[in-house]
Amino acid sequence: MLERAHRHLAVALVLGATALVGACAGGEDANEDTTALGSAPGALDTAGGAAAGEMSDAQIFGFTSLVNNAEVEAGQLAQEKGSHARVKEYARMMVTDHSNNERQAGELAQQLNVNPSEPADDEMKRQHDELMNRLRDASGAAFDSLYITGMVQEHQETLQRLNAALNATQEAQVQQFLNETRQKVQQHLERAQQIQGELAGGGR
């Protein structure tokens, strides 16, 4: 199992999602040039050994908590600042779904007597923090574009890490939780990509 986890994590590192791409902060033009957030796209180097193929259940729950809190944070801001109807609708879905997932994860971790261990220094968290800084400075169509682009990239990254987590745990209940989470994240990704296309086409 450890050897297989090594193999999957190595693949995920090579094929990791590109860094979050954002519109220029504060710009009003949705067609402004975008720049990459972060210099190490798709990095899987997490404190606690996930990159070494030793992702424990505690680290898995810590990772899902990191993701849930990040998407709720961004979703709450997008509900407030988003200007496109589909963007605001998507943001509400993020807050609802990721809040529910966090609750389910907490209940399962407690049932299994697992204390979540969130990575202290994680590239995905760093990229999300950078996205949030840009979102706070953006407005109008530029905000909508930046938020949805960020959601596409973050959900792509999350899917890859969920795949790695599935290969790292031997606990059946954790595997079931991760599979259900992965299905929901896939739906989120597909919806974000649809909205991204609408924004590019100028639809309201």
Coordinates of all heavy atoms in Angstrom, one line a residue, residues 28-72:
E28 N -11.6 46.3 -13.6 CA -13.0 46.2 -13.9 C -13.2 45.5 -15.2 O -14.3 45.0 -15.5 CB -13.6 47.6 -14.0 CG -13.6 48.4 -12.7 CD -14.5 47.7 -11.7 OE1 -15.5 47.1 -12.1 OE2 -14.3 47.8 -10.5
D29 N -12.1 45.3 -16.0 CA -12.3 44.6 -17.3 C -12.1 43.1 -17.1 O -11.0 42.7 -16.7 CB -11.2 45.2 -18.2 CG -11.4 44.7 -19.7 OD1 -12.3 43.8 -19.9 OD2 -10.6 45.1 -20.5
A30 N -13.1 42.4 -17.5 CA -13.0 40.9 -17.3 C -12.0 40.3 -18.2 O -11.5 39.2 -18.0 CB -14.3 40.2 -17.6
N31 N -11.5 41.0 -19.2 CA -10.5 40.5 -20.2 C -9.1 40.9 -19.8 O -8.2 40.8 -20.7 CB -10.9 41.0 -21.6 CG -12.2 40.4 -22.1 OD1 -12.5 39.3 -21.8 ND2 -13.0 41.3 -22.7
E32 N -8.9 41.5 -18.6 CA -7.5 41.9 -18.2 C -6.6 40.7 -18.2 O -7.0 39.5 -18.1 CB -7.6 42.5 -16.8 CG -8.3 43.8 -16.7 CD -8.2 44.3 -15.3 OE1 -7.1 44.4 -14.8 OE2 -9.2 44.7 -14.8
D33 N -5.3 40.9 -18.4 CA -4.3 39.9 -18.3 C -4.3 39.2 -17.0 O -4.5 39.9 -16.0 CB -2.9 40.4 -18.6 CG -2.7 40.8 -20.1 OD1 -3.5 40.3 -20.9 OD2 -1.8 41.6 -20.4
T34 N -4.1 37.9 -16.9 CA -4.0 37.3 -15.6 C -2.6 36.8 -15.4 O -1.8 36.5 -16.3 CB -5.0 36.1 -15.6 OG1 -4.6 35.2 -16.7 CG2 -6.4 36.5 -15.7
T35 N -2.2 36.6 -14.1 CA -0.9 36.2 -13.8 C -1.0 35.0 -12.8 O -2.0 34.9 -12.0 CB -0.1 37.3 -13.1 OG1 -0.8 37.8 -12.0 CG2 0.2 38.4 -14.0
A36 N -0.1 34.1 -12.8 CA -0.1 32.9 -12.0 C 0.0 33.2 -10.6 O 0.8 34.1 -10.2 CB 1.0 31.9 -12.5
L37 N -0.6 32.5 -9.7 CA -0.5 32.7 -8.3 C 0.4 31.6 -7.8 O 0.1 30.4 -7.8 CB -1.8 32.5 -7.6 CG -2.9 33.6 -7.9 CD1 -4.2 33.3 -7.2 CD2 -2.4 35.0 -7.6
G38 N 1.6 31.9 -7.4 CA 2.5 30.9 -6.9 C 3.5 30.4 -7.9 O 3.2 30.5 -9.1
S39 N 4.6 29.9 -7.5 CA 5.7 29.5 -8.4 C 5.8 28.0 -8.4 O 6.7 27.5 -9.1 CB 7.0 30.1 -8.0 OG 7.3 29.8 -6.7
A40 N 5.1 27.3 -7.6 CA 5.2 25.8 -7.6 C 3.8 25.2 -7.8 O 3.2 24.7 -6.9 CB 5.8 25.4 -6.2
P41 N 3.3 25.2 -9.0 CA 2.0 24.7 -9.3 C 1.8 23.2 -8.9 O 2.7 22.4 -9.2 CB 1.8 24.9 -10.8 CG 3.2 24.9 -11.3 CD 4.0 25.6 -10.2
G42 N 0.7 22.9 -8.2 CA 0.3 21.5 -7.9 C 1.2 20.9 -6.9 O 1.3 19.6 -6.9
A43 N 2.0 21.6 -6.1 CA 2.9 21.0 -5.2 C 2.1 20.2 -4.2 O 1.1 20.6 -3.7 CB 3.7 22.1 -4.5
L44 N 2.7 19.0 -3.8 CA 2.1 18.1 -2.9 C 2.9 18.0 -1.6 O 2.7 17.1 -0.8 CB 1.9 16.7 -3.5 CG 0.8 16.6 -4.5 CD1 0.8 15.2 -5.1 CD2 -0.6 16.9 -3.9
D45 N 3.9 18.9 -1.4 CA 4.8 18.8 -0.3 C 4.1 19.4 0.9 O 3.9 20.6 1.1 CB 6.0 19.7 -0.6 CG 7.1 19.5 0.6 OD1 6.9 18.6 1.4 OD2 8.0 20.3 0.6
T46 N 3.6 18.5 1.8 CA 2.8 19.0 3.0 C 3.6 18.6 4.2 O 4.2 17.5 4.3 CB 1.4 18.3 3.0 OG1 1.6 16.9 3.0 CG2 0.6 18.7 1.8
A47 N 3.5 19.4 5.2 CA 4.2 19.1 6.5 C 3.5 17.9 7.0 O 2.3 17.8 7.1 CB 4.1 20.3 7.4
G48 N 4.3 17.0 7.5 CA 3.7 15.7 8.1 C 3.9 14.5 7.2 O 3.5 13.5 7.6
G49 N 4.5 14.7 6.0 CA 4.9 13.5 5.3 C 4.0 13.1 4.1 O 4.2 12.0 3.6
A50 N 3.0 13.8 3.7 CA 2.1 13.4 2.6 C 2.9 13.2 1.4 O 2.7 12.3 0.6 CB 1.0 14.4 2.4
A51 N 3.9 14.1 1.1 CA 4.7 14.0 -0.1 C 5.5 12.8 -0.1 O 6.0 12.3 -1.2 CB 5.5 15.2 -0.3
A52 N 5.8 12.2 1.1 CA 6.7 11.0 1.2 C 5.8 9.8 1.1 O 6.4 8.7 1.3 CB 7.4 11.1 2.5
G53 N 4.6 9.9 0.8 CA 3.7 8.7 0.7 C 3.2 8.1 2.0 O 2.9 7.0 2.1
E54 N 3.3 8.9 3.0 CA 2.9 8.5 4.4 C 1.7 9.3 4.9 O 1.7 9.8 6.0 CB 4.0 8.5 5.3 CG 5.2 7.7 4.9 CD 6.4 7.8 5.8 OE1 6.4 8.7 6.6 OE2 7.4 7.0 5.6
M55 N 0.7 9.6 4.0 CA -0.4 10.4 4.4 C -1.3 9.6 5.3 O -2.0 8.7 5.0 CB -1.2 10.8 3.1 CG -2.1 12.0 3.3 SD -2.8 12.4 1.7 CE -3.7 14.0 2.1
S56 N -1.3 10.1 6.6 CA -2.2 9.4 7.6 C -3.6 9.8 7.5 O -3.9 10.8 6.9 CB -1.6 9.7 9.0 OG -1.8 11.1 9.3
D57 N -4.5 9.1 8.2 CA -5.9 9.5 8.3 C -6.0 10.9 8.9 O -6.8 11.7 8.5 CB -6.7 8.5 9.0 CG -6.9 7.2 8.2 OD1 -6.7 7.2 7.0 OD2 -7.4 6.2 8.8
A58 N -5.2 11.2 9.9 CA -5.2 12.5 10.6 C -4.9 13.6 9.6 O -5.5 14.7 9.5 CB -4.2 12.5 11.7
Q59 N -3.9 13.3 8.7 CA -3.5 14.3 7.7 C -4.6 14.4 6.6 O -4.8 15.5 6.0 CB -2.2 13.9 7.1 CG -1.0 14.1 8.1 CD 0.2 13.4 7.6 OE1 0.2 12.5 6.7 NE2 1.4 13.7 8.2
I60 N -5.3 13.3 6.3 CA -6.3 13.4 5.3 C -7.5 14.2 5.8 O -8.0 15.1 5.1 CB -6.9 11.9 5.0 CG1 -5.8 11.1 4.2 CG2 -8.2 12.0 4.3 CD1 -6.1 9.7 4.0
F61 N -7.9 14.1 7.1 CA -8.9 14.9 7.6 C -8.4 16.4 7.7 O -9.2 17.3 7.6 CB -9.4 14.4 9.0 CG -10.3 13.2 8.9 CD1 -9.9 12.0 9.4 CD2 -11.6 13.3 8.4 CE1 -10.8 10.9 9.4 CE2 -12.4 12.3 8.3 CZ -12.0 11.0 8.8
G62 N -7.2 16.6 8.0 CA -6.6 17.9 8.0 C -6.7 18.6 6.7 O -7.0 19.8 6.6
F63 N -6.4 17.8 5.6 CA -6.5 18.3 4.3 C -7.9 18.7 3.9 O -8.2 19.8 3.3 CB -5.9 17.3 3.3 CG -6.4 17.5 1.9 CD1 -6.0 18.6 1.2 CD2 -7.2 16.6 1.3 CE1 -6.4 18.8 -0.1 CE2 -7.7 16.8 0.0 CZ -7.3 17.9 -0.7
T64 N -8.9 17.8 4.2 CA -10.2 18.1 3.8 C -10.8 19.3 4.6 O -11.5 20.1 4.0 CB -11.2 16.9 4.0 OG1 -11.1 16.5 5.4 CG2 -10.8 15.7 3.2
S65 N -10.3 19.5 5.8 CA -10.7 20.7 6.6 C -10.1 21.9 5.9 O -10.8 22.9 5.8 CB -10.2 20.5 8.0 OG -10.6 21.6 8.8
L66 N -8.9 21.8 5.5 CA -8.2 23.0 4.8 C -9.0 23.4 3.6 O -9.3 24.6 3.4 CB -6.8 22.6 4.5 CG -5.9 23.7 3.8 CD1 -4.4 23.3 4.1 CD2 -6.1 23.8 2.3
V67 N -9.4 22.4 2.8 CA -10.2 22.7 1.6 C -11.6 23.2 1.9 O -12.0 24.3 1.3 CB -10.3 21.4 0.7 CG1 -11.4 21.6 -0.4 CG2 -9.0 21.0 0.2
N68 N -12.3 22.6 2.8 CA -13.6 23.1 3.2 C -13.6 24.5 3.7 O -14.4 25.4 3.3 CB -14.2 22.2 4.2 CG -14.6 20.8 3.7 OD1 -15.1 20.7 2.5 ND2 -14.5 19.8 4.5
N69 N -12.7 24.8 4.6 CA -12.6 26.2 5.1 C -12.2 27.2 4.0 O -12.8 28.3 4.0 CB -11.6 26.2 6.3 CG -12.1 25.5 7.5 OD1 -13.3 25.4 7.8 ND2 -11.1 24.9 8.3
A70 N -11.4 26.8 3.1 CA -11.0 27.7 2.1 C -12.1 28.0 1.1 O -12.3 29.2 0.8 CB -9.8 27.1 1.3
E71 N -12.9 27.0 0.7 CA -14.0 27.2 -0.2 C -15.2 28.0 0.5 O -15.8 28.8 -0.2 CB -14.5 25.9 -0.8 CG -13.4 25.1 -1.5 CD -12.6 25.8 -2.5 OE1 -12.8 27.0 -2.7 OE2 -11.7 25.1 -3.1
V72 N -15.4 27.7 1.7 CA -16.4 28.5 2.5 C -16.0 30.0 2.5 O -16.8 30.9 2.3 CB -16.6 27.9 3.9 CG1 -17.5 28.9 4.7 CG2 -17.3 26.6 3.8

